[in-house]
Amino acid sequence: MSAPSRIGVVGAGIVGLAVARRLAQLRPDARITVVDKEADVAVHQTGHNSGVVHAGLYYAPRSLKAGLCTRGRGLLREFCADHGLAYDECGKLVVARDEGEVPALREIERRATANGVPDLRWLPGVALREVEPEAVGAAALHSPRTAVVDFAAIARAMAGELRDKGHEVRLGFEVTGVRRNLDGGVAVCSAEEAFAVDRLVVCAGLHTDRVSRLAGDGPEPAIIPFRGEYYRLVPGRSGLVRGMIYPVPDPRFPFLGVHFTRRVSGSVDIGPNAVPAAAREGYTWGRVDLRDVWATASWPGVRPLARRYWRTELAEIRASLSKRRYLASAREFVPALRDDDVVRAPAGVRAQAVDRDGALVDDFRIHRVGSVVTVRNAPSPAATSALAIGEHVADLVLADRG
Ligand SMILES: Cc1cc2nc3c(=O)[nH]c(=O)nc-3n(C[C@H](O)[C@H](O)[C@H](O)COP(=O)(O)OP(=O)(O)OC[C@H]3O[C@@H](n4cnc5c(N)ncnc54)[C@H](O)[C@@H]3O)c2cc1C
C-alpha cells in the first residue's frame, strides 16, 4: 500500500494528541484529523489526574511502561521548556511506614535502579526528615527528579501545534461507527457525518474498548472505571509537604495508594484512592450509567477480580465515604495532618483494562488490526509517557502491513 495520506485519531486526550503530533512530524504531507466527542481537549483522564511526571520507579524492567516512561519523561521536559510550560522538579519521597514495608521499598529501589531513575537516594529512618520534615517512617526512597506539570495545558499546546500546521482537531465529534472501505481504508462515522482515512488510531481512554470494537478489534481487555478521589490542603496548611510523599504501594494492585502531591499551582492534593465507579465518566457517587454498569457486570473478568480484591475494595469504599478514615491512611506517614486541614477536590476516573480472566492489565497494551491501531491500556504513567507512546504508536501506524 502507498504511504497513508489521511490519518484519523479518535481521542483528544494527551495520548491521542501525542500520537497525532508524532505522525505530523513523520509525515508532514499527510492530513491528520483528531476527533473528540467533548467540546474541549483533555476533558477526561488527561484533565483529571495528579499531574506527576513519574521518573520510572515502579515499573517492571524491560516492560513497555519502563521504557516509554523513561523516554517520555525526557521528551516531556523538552516539550515544556520549548512551549514555556511549567515543569517543577519538586521531588518525591516513597516512605516505608514500618520495618515490614522495607523489603517492598527495596524492591522499588531495585526496579528504579534497573530503569535508570536518576539521583535516587535511600534515606534510613529520621534522615527522611531532611527532605520532608513532617514525614515519618522506617526508611524512604527519594527521587528528586520526579516532577509535576499541568497535563491539560500540555494537551492544549499539542492541539494548538497541530492546528498551526494545518491539521484538524475536531471537537464535538462522537465516533459511533467505523466502516471498512474496499480500498483498505476506513470511514469514521458520527451520528451526523463521516470522513474517510487510510489509517486510524483509537486512543479513546475510558471508552477505548468500545471504539476499538467498532473498528474491528476484539473485546479483550475491557475497561472497568475506577474513580480516584482527592482532598486538597487548605492554603494555610499547604506548607505541610514540600514536594510529594507516597506510601509503599500494595504490589498486587496497579494503584499507588493515597499520597500527597504538590501541584504546579502550589496547592497540595491528597489522593487518589481507587473506588469502582458506576459510570465511565462517574466523577461522583451520584453519577450512574446503566449501560456502563451492565458492561462492567457482564464482563467475565469481573467475578474473579471481585473475588481477589473485595477486601481491598471494601476498605477503599469505606474510606471514600468517611473523611476520617480516608485521612487516617495519609496520617500514617504525615501525622501532623488534621481533619480540618482539607477540603474536597475534583475526582478523576481511571480507565483500568481487565482481561477476561480477571487480571488487571498492568503494562501498556496496543493492538493492530489491519489499518487500525488501538491503544487498549494506557493507565498511569501514560500521561508522563505520552510523547514516547506517540513515537511507538506512530511507527506501528506507518509500518508496512506486509
Ligand atoms: C486520578 C488519576 C490520576 C492519575 N495520575 C497520573 C499522574 O500523576 N501521572 C501520569 O503520568 N498519569 C496519571 N494518570 C493517568 C493519565 O491521566 C492517563 O494515563 C492519560 O491521561 C491517558 O490519556 P488518554 O489520552 O489515553 O485518555 P483520556 O485523557 O481519557 O482521553 C481520551 C479521549 O477520548 C475521547 N473519546 C472517548 N470516546 C470517544 C468517542 N466515541 N468519540 C470521540 N472521542 C471519544 C474522550 O472524550 C477523551 O477526551 C492518572 C489518571 C487518573 C484518572
Side-chain angles (χ1 to χ4, degrees), residues 10-17 35-38 40-54 151 173-176 203-208 211 214 226-230 246 272-273 281 347-351 375 378-385:
V10 184
I14 197 165
V15 173
L17 289 165
V35 295
D36 200 289
K37 65 187 175 67
E38 302 295 346
D40 202 351
V41 306
V43 167
H44 293 294
Q45 295 176 94
T46 301
H48 289 91
N49 59 39
S50 301
V52 178
V53 181
H54 290 287
F151 285 117
F173 187 110
E174 178 167 4
V175 176
T176 52
C203 309
L206 288 152
H207 301 277
T208 205
V211 182
L214 291 176
F226 281 90
R227 189 171 49 254
E229 298 158 327
Y230 293 90
Y246 283 59
N273 58 355
E281 291 159 12
V349 184
R350 302 176 186 83
V375 176
S380 184
T384 302
S385 319

Short mmCIF file of all heavy atoms in Angstrom, two decimals, residues 10-17 35-38 40-54 151 173-176 203-208 211 214 226-230 246 272-273 281 347-351 375 378-385, ligand 1:
data_model
loop_
_atom_site.label_atom_id
_atom_site.label_comp_id
_atom_site.label_asym_id
_atom_site.label_seq_id
_atom_site.Cartn_x
_atom_site.Cartn_y
_atom_site.Cartn_z
N VAL A 10 -8.85 8.92 17.10
CA VAL A 10 -10.02 9.12 17.97
C VAL A 10 -9.51 9.39 19.38
O VAL A 10 -8.83 8.55 19.98
CB VAL A 10 -10.93 7.87 17.99
CG1 VAL A 10 -12.19 8.16 18.82
CG2 VAL A 10 -11.30 7.45 16.58
N GLY A 11 -9.86 10.56 19.92
CA GLY A 11 -9.48 10.90 21.29
C GLY A 11 -8.48 12.03 21.34
O GLY A 11 -7.35 11.89 20.87
N ALA A 12 -8.93 13.18 21.89
CA ALA A 12 -8.02 14.32 22.07
C ALA A 12 -7.62 14.44 23.52
O ALA A 12 -7.67 15.50 24.13
CB ALA A 12 -8.66 15.60 21.55
N GLY A 13 -7.22 13.28 24.10
CA GLY A 13 -6.51 13.28 25.37
C GLY A 13 -5.04 13.38 25.02
O GLY A 13 -4.66 13.48 23.85
N ILE A 14 -4.19 13.29 26.04
CA ILE A 14 -2.76 13.51 25.78
C ILE A 14 -2.17 12.41 24.90
O ILE A 14 -1.26 12.67 24.11
CB ILE A 14 -1.98 13.68 27.11
CG1 ILE A 14 -0.62 14.32 26.84
CG2 ILE A 14 -1.85 12.36 27.88
CD1 ILE A 14 0.06 14.86 28.07
N VAL A 15 -2.72 11.19 24.98
CA VAL A 15 -2.16 10.10 24.18
C VAL A 15 -2.51 10.30 22.70
O VAL A 15 -1.62 10.28 21.83
CB VAL A 15 -2.61 8.73 24.70
CG1 VAL A 15 -2.17 7.61 23.77
CG2 VAL A 15 -2.05 8.48 26.11
N GLY A 16 -3.78 10.54 22.40
CA GLY A 16 -4.18 10.76 21.00
C GLY A 16 -3.45 11.95 20.39
O GLY A 16 -2.98 11.89 19.24
N LEU A 17 -3.33 13.02 21.15
CA LEU A 17 -2.68 14.22 20.61
C LEU A 17 -1.18 13.98 20.40
O LEU A 17 -0.60 14.44 19.41
CB LEU A 17 -2.91 15.41 21.55
CG LEU A 17 -4.37 15.91 21.55
CD1 LEU A 17 -4.62 16.82 22.75
CD2 LEU A 17 -4.70 16.63 20.24
N VAL A 35 -10.33 13.53 16.38
CA VAL A 35 -11.71 13.86 16.77
C VAL A 35 -11.91 13.53 18.25
O VAL A 35 -11.30 12.62 18.79
CB VAL A 35 -12.76 13.09 15.93
CG1 VAL A 35 -12.72 13.51 14.48
CG2 VAL A 35 -12.60 11.58 16.06
N ASP A 36 -12.78 14.31 18.87
CA ASP A 36 -13.14 14.02 20.26
C ASP A 36 -14.60 14.38 20.46
O ASP A 36 -15.10 15.36 19.90
CB ASP A 36 -12.27 14.82 21.24
CG ASP A 36 -12.30 14.19 22.63
OD1 ASP A 36 -13.36 14.28 23.32
OD2 ASP A 36 -11.29 13.58 23.04
N LYS A 37 -15.28 13.60 21.27
CA LYS A 37 -16.71 13.83 21.49
C LYS A 37 -16.98 15.06 22.35
O LYS A 37 -18.08 15.59 22.35
CB LYS A 37 -17.36 12.59 22.11
CG LYS A 37 -16.89 12.23 23.51
CD LYS A 37 -17.48 10.89 23.93
CE LYS A 37 -16.96 10.42 25.26
NZ LYS A 37 -17.37 11.22 26.41
N GLU A 38 -15.99 15.50 23.10
CA GLU A 38 -16.21 16.63 24.02
C GLU A 38 -15.99 17.97 23.32
O GLU A 38 -15.46 18.03 22.21
CB GLU A 38 -15.28 16.51 25.22
CG GLU A 38 -15.43 15.22 26.01
CD GLU A 38 -16.79 15.07 26.68
OE1 GLU A 38 -17.54 16.06 26.78
OE2 GLU A 38 -17.13 13.94 27.11
N ASP A 40 -13.95 20.25 24.31
CA ASP A 40 -12.59 20.74 24.51
C ASP A 40 -11.65 19.54 24.52
O ASP A 40 -12.12 18.39 24.62
CB ASP A 40 -12.52 21.49 25.86
CG ASP A 40 -11.34 22.46 25.92
OD1 ASP A 40 -10.49 22.45 24.99
OD2 ASP A 40 -11.27 23.22 26.89
N VAL A 41 -10.35 19.78 24.48
CA VAL A 41 -9.40 18.67 24.60
C VAL A 41 -9.19 18.38 26.09
O VAL A 41 -9.51 19.22 26.95
CB VAL A 41 -8.04 18.98 23.91
CG1 VAL A 41 -8.26 19.38 22.45
CG2 VAL A 41 -7.27 20.06 24.64
N ALA A 42 -8.66 17.21 26.41
CA ALA A 42 -8.23 16.87 27.78
C ALA A 42 -9.34 16.91 28.82
O ALA A 42 -9.10 17.24 29.97
CB ALA A 42 -7.09 17.80 28.21
N VAL A 43 -10.57 16.58 28.42
CA VAL A 43 -11.69 16.70 29.36
C VAL A 43 -11.73 15.54 30.37
O VAL A 43 -12.21 15.71 31.48
CB VAL A 43 -13.02 16.81 28.58
CG1 VAL A 43 -14.23 16.63 29.49
CG2 VAL A 43 -13.10 18.15 27.87
N HIS A 44 -11.19 14.38 29.98
CA HIS A 44 -11.30 13.24 30.90
C HIS A 44 -9.98 12.95 31.63
O HIS A 44 -9.50 13.82 32.34
CB HIS A 44 -11.94 12.05 30.16
CG HIS A 44 -13.37 12.39 29.83
ND1 HIS A 44 -14.32 12.56 30.81
CD2 HIS A 44 -13.99 12.68 28.66
CE1 HIS A 44 -15.47 12.92 30.27
NE2 HIS A 44 -15.29 13.00 28.95
N GLN A 45 -9.39 11.77 31.48
CA GLN A 45 -8.23 11.44 32.33
C GLN A 45 -7.12 12.50 32.28
O GLN A 45 -6.52 12.83 33.31
CB GLN A 45 -7.66 10.10 31.91
CG GLN A 45 -8.61 8.94 32.13
CD GLN A 45 -7.99 7.67 31.61
OE1 GLN A 45 -7.35 6.95 32.36
NE2 GLN A 45 -8.15 7.39 30.33
N THR A 46 -6.88 13.02 31.08
CA THR A 46 -5.76 13.98 30.93
C THR A 46 -5.97 15.23 31.77
O THR A 46 -5.01 15.84 32.24
CB THR A 46 -5.59 14.31 29.43
OG1 THR A 46 -5.33 13.08 28.74
CG2 THR A 46 -4.46 15.30 29.19
N GLY A 47 -7.23 15.61 31.96
CA GLY A 47 -7.53 16.81 32.74
C GLY A 47 -7.92 16.51 34.18
O GLY A 47 -8.28 17.43 34.92
N HIS A 48 -7.85 15.25 34.58
CA HIS A 48 -8.26 14.87 35.95
C HIS A 48 -7.25 13.91 36.55
O HIS A 48 -7.60 12.79 36.95
CB HIS A 48 -9.63 14.16 35.94
CG HIS A 48 -10.77 15.06 35.63
ND1 HIS A 48 -11.23 15.28 34.36
CD2 HIS A 48 -11.55 15.82 36.44
CE1 HIS A 48 -12.24 16.12 34.40
NE2 HIS A 48 -12.47 16.46 35.64
N ASN A 49 -6.00 14.30 36.57
CA ASN A 49 -5.00 13.40 37.17
C ASN A 49 -4.15 14.13 38.18
O ASN A 49 -4.44 15.28 38.52
CB ASN A 49 -4.19 12.70 36.07
CG ASN A 49 -3.46 13.68 35.19
OD1 ASN A 49 -2.94 14.69 35.68
ND2 ASN A 49 -3.42 13.41 33.91
N SER A 50 -3.09 13.48 38.66
CA SER A 50 -2.28 14.07 39.74
C SER A 50 -1.22 15.04 39.20
O SER A 50 -0.56 15.72 39.98
CB SER A 50 -1.59 12.98 40.55
OG SER A 50 -2.54 12.12 41.12
N GLY A 51 -0.99 15.01 37.89
CA GLY A 51 0.00 15.92 37.31
C GLY A 51 1.44 15.52 37.58
O GLY A 51 2.35 16.34 37.43
N VAL A 52 1.66 14.25 37.91
CA VAL A 52 3.03 13.83 38.26
C VAL A 52 3.77 13.30 37.04
O VAL A 52 3.25 12.44 36.31
CB VAL A 52 2.99 12.73 39.35
CG1 VAL A 52 4.40 12.26 39.70
CG2 VAL A 52 2.27 13.24 40.59
N VAL A 53 4.98 13.79 36.83
CA VAL A 53 5.86 13.24 35.80
C VAL A 53 6.67 12.15 36.50
O VAL A 53 7.61 12.43 37.24
CB VAL A 53 6.80 14.32 35.22
CG1 VAL A 53 7.68 13.72 34.13
CG2 VAL A 53 5.98 15.48 34.68
N HIS A 54 6.25 10.91 36.30
CA HIS A 54 6.88 9.80 37.00
C HIS A 54 8.29 9.56 36.46
O HIS A 54 8.53 9.66 35.25
CB HIS A 54 6.02 8.54 36.87
CG HIS A 54 4.74 8.63 37.66
ND1 HIS A 54 4.73 8.54 39.03
CD2 HIS A 54 3.46 8.85 37.28
CE1 HIS A 54 3.48 8.68 39.46
NE2 HIS A 54 2.69 8.88 38.41
N PHE A 151 -0.95 18.58 32.80
CA PHE A 151 -1.10 17.79 31.58
C PHE A 151 -2.16 18.36 30.63
O PHE A 151 -2.05 18.22 29.42
CB PHE A 151 -1.42 16.33 31.91
CG PHE A 151 -0.23 15.55 32.41
CD1 PHE A 151 -0.21 15.03 33.70
CD2 PHE A 151 0.88 15.35 31.62
CE1 PHE A 151 0.89 14.30 34.17
CE2 PHE A 151 1.99 14.63 32.07
CZ PHE A 151 2.00 14.11 33.36
N PHE A 173 -17.28 15.63 18.07
CA PHE A 173 -17.48 14.56 17.09
C PHE A 173 -17.37 13.22 17.83
O PHE A 173 -16.29 12.77 18.17
CB PHE A 173 -16.41 14.66 15.99
CG PHE A 173 -16.61 13.71 14.83
CD1 PHE A 173 -16.97 14.19 13.57
CD2 PHE A 173 -16.43 12.33 14.98
CE1 PHE A 173 -17.14 13.32 12.50
CE2 PHE A 173 -16.61 11.46 13.92
CZ PHE A 173 -16.96 11.96 12.67
N GLU A 174 -18.52 12.63 18.10
CA GLU A 174 -18.52 11.34 18.82
C GLU A 174 -18.53 10.20 17.82
O GLU A 174 -19.48 10.08 17.02
CB GLU A 174 -19.74 11.24 19.75
CG GLU A 174 -19.77 9.89 20.44
CD GLU A 174 -20.75 9.82 21.59
OE1 GLU A 174 -21.48 10.81 21.83
OE2 GLU A 174 -20.80 8.76 22.24
N VAL A 175 -17.52 9.38 17.86
CA VAL A 175 -17.44 8.26 16.92
C VAL A 175 -18.45 7.20 17.34
O VAL A 175 -18.40 6.68 18.46
CB VAL A 175 -16.01 7.68 16.88
CG1 VAL A 175 -15.96 6.45 15.97
CG2 VAL A 175 -15.02 8.73 16.40
N THR A 176 -19.39 6.90 16.42
CA THR A 176 -20.42 5.90 16.71
C THR A 176 -20.31 4.70 15.79
O THR A 176 -21.01 3.71 15.97
CB THR A 176 -21.83 6.52 16.56
OG1 THR A 176 -21.89 7.12 15.26
CG2 THR A 176 -22.10 7.57 17.62
N CYS A 203 -7.54 6.09 20.55
CA CYS A 203 -6.97 6.43 21.86
C CYS A 203 -8.11 7.00 22.70
O CYS A 203 -8.06 8.17 23.11
CB CYS A 203 -5.87 7.48 21.73
SG CYS A 203 -4.60 7.12 20.53
N ALA A 204 -9.14 6.21 22.91
CA ALA A 204 -10.39 6.75 23.45
C ALA A 204 -10.53 6.55 24.96
O ALA A 204 -11.64 6.59 25.50
CB ALA A 204 -11.59 6.16 22.70
N GLY A 205 -9.43 6.34 25.65
CA GLY A 205 -9.41 6.36 27.12
C GLY A 205 -10.47 5.47 27.76
O GLY A 205 -10.45 4.24 27.61
N LEU A 206 -11.41 6.08 28.45
CA LEU A 206 -12.42 5.33 29.19
C LEU A 206 -13.37 4.54 28.28
O LEU A 206 -14.10 3.66 28.74
CB LEU A 206 -13.23 6.28 30.08
CG LEU A 206 -12.43 6.81 31.29
CD1 LEU A 206 -12.92 8.18 31.73
CD2 LEU A 206 -12.53 5.81 32.44
N HIS A 207 -13.38 4.87 26.98
CA HIS A 207 -14.26 4.16 26.02
C HIS A 207 -13.44 3.41 24.98
O HIS A 207 -13.96 3.06 23.92
CB HIS A 207 -15.18 5.17 25.32
CG HIS A 207 -16.04 5.93 26.28
ND1 HIS A 207 -17.22 5.44 26.78
CD2 HIS A 207 -15.85 7.13 26.88
CE1 HIS A 207 -17.75 6.31 27.62
NE2 HIS A 207 -16.92 7.35 27.70
N THR A 208 -12.16 3.19 25.25
CA THR A 208 -11.30 2.67 24.19
C THR A 208 -11.69 1.26 23.77
O THR A 208 -11.53 0.89 22.61
CB THR A 208 -9.81 2.78 24.62
OG1 THR A 208 -9.03 2.83 23.43
CG2 THR A 208 -9.35 1.65 25.53
N VAL A 211 -14.79 1.74 21.29
CA VAL A 211 -14.44 2.29 19.97
C VAL A 211 -13.56 1.29 19.22
O VAL A 211 -13.69 1.12 18.01
CB VAL A 211 -13.77 3.68 20.11
CG1 VAL A 211 -13.45 4.26 18.74
CG2 VAL A 211 -14.65 4.64 20.89
N LEU A 214 -15.76 -1.20 17.62
CA LEU A 214 -16.39 -0.64 16.42
C LEU A 214 -15.43 -0.73 15.23
O LEU A 214 -15.84 -0.91 14.10
CB LEU A 214 -16.74 0.84 16.63
CG LEU A 214 -17.85 1.20 17.62
CD1 LEU A 214 -17.97 2.72 17.76
CD2 LEU A 214 -19.18 0.60 17.16
N PHE A 226 -12.40 3.08 37.53
CA PHE A 226 -12.11 3.26 38.96
C PHE A 226 -11.93 4.74 39.25
O PHE A 226 -11.02 5.38 38.69
CB PHE A 226 -10.81 2.52 39.35
CG PHE A 226 -11.00 1.05 39.53
CD1 PHE A 226 -10.84 0.18 38.47
CD2 PHE A 226 -11.30 0.52 40.78
CE1 PHE A 226 -11.01 -1.19 38.62
CE2 PHE A 226 -11.47 -0.86 40.95
CZ PHE A 226 -11.32 -1.71 39.88
N ARG A 227 -12.81 5.28 40.11
CA ARG A 227 -12.70 6.70 40.44
C ARG A 227 -11.55 6.93 41.43
O ARG A 227 -11.33 6.12 42.34
CB ARG A 227 -14.01 7.21 41.06
CG ARG A 227 -14.03 8.72 41.22
CD ARG A 227 -15.41 9.28 41.62
NE ARG A 227 -16.00 8.58 42.73
CZ ARG A 227 -17.00 7.73 42.63
NH1 ARG A 227 -17.56 7.49 41.46
NH2 ARG A 227 -17.49 7.13 43.70
N GLY A 228 -10.86 8.05 41.24
CA GLY A 228 -9.79 8.45 42.16
C GLY A 228 -10.19 9.78 42.78
O GLY A 228 -10.26 10.79 42.09
N GLU A 229 -10.48 9.75 44.10
CA GLU A 229 -10.96 10.98 44.76
C GLU A 229 -9.81 11.67 45.49
O GLU A 229 -8.88 11.01 45.95
CB GLU A 229 -12.06 10.62 45.76
CG GLU A 229 -13.26 9.98 45.07
CD GLU A 229 -14.12 9.14 46.00
OE1 GLU A 229 -13.58 8.52 46.93
OE2 GLU A 229 -15.34 9.08 45.78
N TYR A 230 -9.92 13.00 45.59
CA TYR A 230 -8.85 13.79 46.21
C TYR A 230 -9.42 14.70 47.30
O TYR A 230 -10.57 15.17 47.20
CB TYR A 230 -8.20 14.72 45.19
CG TYR A 230 -7.42 14.07 44.08
CD1 TYR A 230 -8.05 13.72 42.87
CD2 TYR A 230 -6.05 13.84 44.20
CE1 TYR A 230 -7.33 13.14 41.84
CE2 TYR A 230 -5.33 13.26 43.16
CZ TYR A 230 -5.97 12.92 41.98
OH TYR A 230 -5.25 12.35 40.95
N TYR A 246 4.70 9.62 49.09
CA TYR A 246 3.91 8.44 48.73
C TYR A 246 4.15 7.33 49.75
O TYR A 246 5.27 7.19 50.24
CB TYR A 246 4.36 7.88 47.38
CG TYR A 246 3.90 8.61 46.14
CD1 TYR A 246 4.23 9.95 45.93
CD2 TYR A 246 3.19 7.94 45.15
CE1 TYR A 246 3.84 10.60 44.76
CE2 TYR A 246 2.79 8.59 43.99
CZ TYR A 246 3.12 9.92 43.80
OH TYR A 246 2.74 10.56 42.66
N PRO A 272 -4.90 9.92 44.79
CA PRO A 272 -6.28 9.47 44.71
C PRO A 272 -6.44 8.06 45.29
O PRO A 272 -5.51 7.27 45.27
CB PRO A 272 -6.50 9.43 43.19
CG PRO A 272 -5.16 9.08 42.61
CD PRO A 272 -4.14 9.65 43.55
N ASN A 273 -7.66 7.79 45.81
CA ASN A 273 -7.99 6.42 46.18
C ASN A 273 -8.42 5.68 44.91
O ASN A 273 -8.19 6.17 43.80
CB ASN A 273 -9.11 6.44 47.25
CG ASN A 273 -10.34 7.17 46.75
OD1 ASN A 273 -10.35 7.74 45.66
ND2 ASN A 273 -11.39 7.15 47.54
N GLU A 281 -17.70 7.90 33.15
CA GLU A 281 -17.35 9.28 33.46
C GLU A 281 -18.01 9.64 34.80
O GLU A 281 -18.54 10.74 34.97
CB GLU A 281 -17.77 10.19 32.29
CG GLU A 281 -16.86 9.90 31.09
CD GLU A 281 -17.42 10.31 29.75
OE1 GLU A 281 -18.42 11.05 29.70
OE2 GLU A 281 -16.85 9.88 28.72
N ALA A 347 -12.50 14.86 41.46
CA ALA A 347 -12.02 13.49 41.27
C ALA A 347 -11.67 13.24 39.81
O ALA A 347 -12.02 14.01 38.91
CB ALA A 347 -13.11 12.51 41.71
N GLY A 348 -10.97 12.13 39.56
CA GLY A 348 -10.72 11.64 38.20
C GLY A 348 -11.25 10.22 38.10
O GLY A 348 -11.57 9.60 39.11
N VAL A 349 -11.36 9.70 36.87
CA VAL A 349 -11.74 8.28 36.71
C VAL A 349 -10.68 7.60 35.83
O VAL A 349 -10.38 8.08 34.74
CB VAL A 349 -13.13 8.10 36.08
CG1 VAL A 349 -13.51 6.62 36.02
CG2 VAL A 349 -14.20 8.87 36.85
N ARG A 350 -10.13 6.49 36.34
CA ARG A 350 -9.11 5.75 35.59
C ARG A 350 -9.76 4.72 34.68
O ARG A 350 -10.69 4.03 35.10
CB ARG A 350 -8.19 4.97 36.53
CG ARG A 350 -7.48 5.77 37.58
CD ARG A 350 -6.71 4.78 38.45
NE ARG A 350 -6.07 5.37 39.58
CZ ARG A 350 -6.67 5.63 40.73
NH1 ARG A 350 -7.97 5.39 40.89
NH2 ARG A 350 -5.98 6.12 41.74
N ALA A 351 -9.22 4.59 33.48
CA ALA A 351 -9.65 3.52 32.57
C ALA A 351 -8.75 2.33 32.85
O ALA A 351 -7.62 2.27 32.37
CB ALA A 351 -9.47 3.98 31.12
N VAL A 375 -5.14 1.69 21.07
CA VAL A 375 -4.44 1.76 22.36
C VAL A 375 -5.43 1.24 23.39
O VAL A 375 -6.41 1.91 23.72
CB VAL A 375 -3.99 3.21 22.67
CG1 VAL A 375 -3.35 3.30 24.04
CG2 VAL A 375 -3.01 3.68 21.59
N ALA A 378 -3.81 2.36 28.60
CA ALA A 378 -2.86 3.47 28.76
C ALA A 378 -3.10 4.14 30.11
O ALA A 378 -3.47 5.30 30.19
CB ALA A 378 -3.03 4.47 27.62
N PRO A 379 -2.88 3.36 31.20
CA PRO A 379 -3.07 3.94 32.53
C PRO A 379 -1.81 4.70 32.94
O PRO A 379 -0.84 4.77 32.17
CB PRO A 379 -3.25 2.69 33.40
CG PRO A 379 -2.36 1.67 32.75
CD PRO A 379 -2.39 1.97 31.28
N SER A 380 -1.78 5.23 34.16
CA SER A 380 -0.59 5.89 34.66
C SER A 380 0.60 4.95 34.51
O SER A 380 0.46 3.75 34.77
CB SER A 380 -0.80 6.24 36.14
OG SER A 380 0.32 6.96 36.60
N PRO A 381 1.75 5.36 34.02
CA PRO A 381 2.18 6.72 33.74
C PRO A 381 2.04 7.12 32.27
O PRO A 381 2.98 7.64 31.67
CB PRO A 381 3.66 6.66 34.12
CG PRO A 381 4.08 5.29 33.63
CD PRO A 381 2.88 4.40 33.84
N ALA A 382 0.85 6.90 31.68
CA ALA A 382 0.71 7.19 30.25
C ALA A 382 0.78 8.69 29.95
O ALA A 382 1.19 9.08 28.86
CB ALA A 382 -0.59 6.60 29.70
N ALA A 383 0.37 9.53 30.90
CA ALA A 383 0.48 10.97 30.63
C ALA A 383 1.96 11.36 30.58
O ALA A 383 2.41 12.04 29.66
CB ALA A 383 -0.27 11.77 31.69
N THR A 384 2.73 10.86 31.55
CA THR A 384 4.19 11.08 31.55
C THR A 384 4.81 10.56 30.25
O THR A 384 5.69 11.19 29.67
CB THR A 384 4.84 10.30 32.72
OG1 THR A 384 4.24 10.73 33.94
CG2 THR A 384 6.33 10.47 32.77
N SER A 385 4.35 9.40 29.81
CA SER A 385 4.97 8.67 28.70
C SER A 385 4.41 9.08 27.34
O SER A 385 4.85 8.54 26.31
CB SER A 385 4.72 7.16 28.87
OG SER A 385 4.86 6.76 30.20
C1 LIG B 1 -6.98 10.01 39.11
C2 LIG B 1 -5.88 9.83 38.11
C3 LIG B 1 -4.56 10.18 38.43
C4 LIG B 1 -3.54 9.99 37.51
N1 LIG B 1 -2.29 10.47 37.77
C5 LIG B 1 -1.32 10.41 36.81
C6 LIG B 1 -0.06 11.03 37.01
O1 LIG B 1 0.17 11.69 38.02
N2 LIG B 1 0.89 10.89 36.05
C7 LIG B 1 0.66 10.19 34.90
O2 LIG B 1 1.57 10.08 34.08
N3 LIG B 1 -0.56 9.63 34.67
C8 LIG B 1 -1.54 9.76 35.58
N4 LIG B 1 -2.79 9.23 35.34
C9 LIG B 1 -3.03 8.54 34.08
C10 LIG B 1 -3.20 9.50 32.91
O3 LIG B 1 -4.04 10.58 33.25
C11 LIG B 1 -3.77 8.74 31.73
O4 LIG B 1 -2.97 7.58 31.54
C12 LIG B 1 -3.76 9.56 30.46
O5 LIG B 1 -4.36 10.81 30.66
C13 LIG B 1 -4.48 8.79 29.37
O6 LIG B 1 -4.65 9.65 28.27
P1 LIG B 1 -5.63 9.26 27.11
O7 LIG B 1 -5.44 10.28 26.04
O8 LIG B 1 -5.39 7.83 26.76
O9 LIG B 1 -7.09 9.29 27.75
P2 LIG B 1 -8.11 10.50 28.00
O10 LIG B 1 -7.42 11.71 28.52
O11 LIG B 1 -9.20 9.95 28.83
O12 LIG B 1 -8.63 10.86 26.54
C14 LIG B 1 -9.47 10.00 25.80
C15 LIG B 1 -10.36 10.89 24.96
O13 LIG B 1 -11.15 10.06 24.09
C16 LIG B 1 -12.40 10.72 23.91
N5 LIG B 1 -13.38 9.75 23.43
C17 LIG B 1 -13.83 8.65 24.09
N6 LIG B 1 -14.76 8.03 23.33
C18 LIG B 1 -14.91 8.73 22.20
C19 LIG B 1 -15.73 8.59 21.04
N7 LIG B 1 -16.60 7.56 20.90
N8 LIG B 1 -15.64 9.51 20.05
C20 LIG B 1 -14.78 10.56 20.17
N9 LIG B 1 -13.98 10.75 21.25
C21 LIG B 1 -14.03 9.84 22.25
C22 LIG B 1 -12.71 11.28 25.30
O14 LIG B 1 -13.65 12.33 25.24
C23 LIG B 1 -11.33 11.71 25.78
O15 LIG B 1 -11.09 13.08 25.56
C24 LIG B 1 -3.83 9.41 36.24
C25 LIG B 1 -5.15 9.08 35.91
C26 LIG B 1 -6.17 9.32 36.82
C27 LIG B 1 -7.59 9.05 36.41
#
